[in-house]
Amino acid sequence: QSVLTQPPSASGTPGQRVTISCSGSSSNIGFNTVNWYQQLPRTAPKLLIYSDNQRPSGVPDRFSGSKSGTSASLAISGLQSEDEADYYCAAWDDSLNDYVFGTGTKVTVL
Amino acid sequence: QLQLQQSGPGLVKPSETLSLICTVSAASISSGSYYWGWIRQPPGKGLEWIGSIYFSGSTYYNPSLKSRVTISVDTSKNQFSLKLSSVTAADTAVYYCARGMPLSMFPMDVWGKGTTVTVSS
């Protein structure tokens, strides 16, 4: 049972904006930065967002991250078919001394 | 371009030790500035950090696995490895090696392709 909770699924039509939430606590999101990973089917995870809202080189600006208190969000604007994937938030947890991943959200493009 | 190539058996018997190697290409582990780690994903489930190592040999482990995990680095071969002892069926997963961003264990910005490990007799 992960300490970072995400909705199991999210969906949208091409071009729409989709938002994924990640709920944590003061020992993880509330005190440490949040990262987001994208996992396409049958592939390794890919870093999408780091330090709450920074995009690695090569990640489209359609992807954006934000954080407020003990929750974080990933937004995908201009949804595309290739965005169909599982998305995981992650953060260091000071109480557990563990790098914890969220429960994961499967994004479907309708 | 940095690549991580994983190797190791795909089948391990219960109670034995799982051993995997990650070979780094196009970069030197001993050049410093990076942490190297292992993450796993059981079938149909989410991601779990196993542990990380700095080129100097300093290690950091998931507390829930710490008693069974050893991560080591071989700078002469530009490799780092994972050993997980006393495995059970619950250790069946895809195992990934990955690199942390500069001067930080997390996040991991370069990943290996993954190795499927099944624990079964």
Side-chain angles (χ1 to χ4, degrees):
Chain A
Q1 188 76 9
S2 176
V3 297
L4 300 182
T5 303
Q6 300 178 232
S9 64
S11 62
T13 56
Q16 277 191 330
R17 175 183 171 94
V18 170
T19 301
I20 301 167
S21 62
C22 175
S23 177
S25 68
S26 58
S27 63
N28 41 66
I29 294 177
F31 201 75
N32 298 300
T33 60
V34 177
N35 310 305
W36 289 89
Y37 298 88
Q38 176 194 58
Q39 187 174 31
L40 298 172
R42 296 172 298 281
T43 67
K46 169 189 172 183
L47 180 63
L48 208 58
I49 297 288
Y50 67 97
S51 296
D52 299 337
N53 54 20
Q54 302 299 301
R55 284 186 307 276
S57 174
V59 173
D61 59 6
R62 303 186 292 105
F63 295 92
S64 61
S66 63
K67 186 175 83 172
S68 178
T70 59
S71 294
S73 293
L74 173 71
I76 310 173
S77 59
L79 192 65
Q80 299 182 4
S81 58
E82 58 259 39
D83 298 333
E84 273 207 349
D86 293 324
Y87 293 83
Y88 294 91
C89 60
W92 180 259
D93 190 292
D94 293 321
S95 294
L96 299 175
N97 278 327
D98 186 9
Y99 184 65
V100 291
F101 289 90
T103 49
T105 299
K106 183 176 183 60
V107 169
T108 301
V109 181
L110 303 171
Chain B
Q1 183 178 351
L2 177 70
Q3 289 189 330
L4 304 180
Q5 181 67 40
Q6 300 181 219
S7 58
L11 181 63
V12 182
K13 290 182 168 55
S15 80
E16 294 190 344
T17 296
L18 177 161
S19 296
L20 296 174
I21 292 173
C22 186
T23 301
V24 179
S25 61
S28 173
I29 284 181
S30 58
S31 66
S33 300
Y34 293 101
Y35 290 81
W36 308 88
W38 291 93
I39 303 94
R40 70 180 182 177
Q41 184 172 34
K45 296 188 178 181
L47 300 162
E48 179 180 36
W49 172 67
I50 298 170
S52 299
I53 189 167
Y54 196 50
F55 82 101
S56 62
S58 298
T59 52
Y60 308 85
Y61 298 134
N62 182 327
S64 68
L65 298 170
K66 187 175 183 177
S67 63
R68 298 194 293 131
V69 173
T70 302
I71 296 176
S72 58
V73 64
D74 186 337
T75 55
S76 66
K77 295 181 179 179
N78 221 32
Q79 297 174 338
F80 61 104
S81 64
L82 168 70
K83 291 188 185 300
L84 181 65
S85 64
S86 304
V87 298
T88 69
D91 295 310
T92 293
V94 177
Y95 286 75
Y96 297 100
C97 63
R99 186 192 76 172
M101 291 188 77
L103 299 174
S104 177
M105 267 195 286
F106 311 107
M108 286 73 76
D109 64 346
V110 180
W111 293 64
K113 292 185 177 181
T115 300
T116 299
V117 178
T118 301
V119 178
S120 175
S121 55

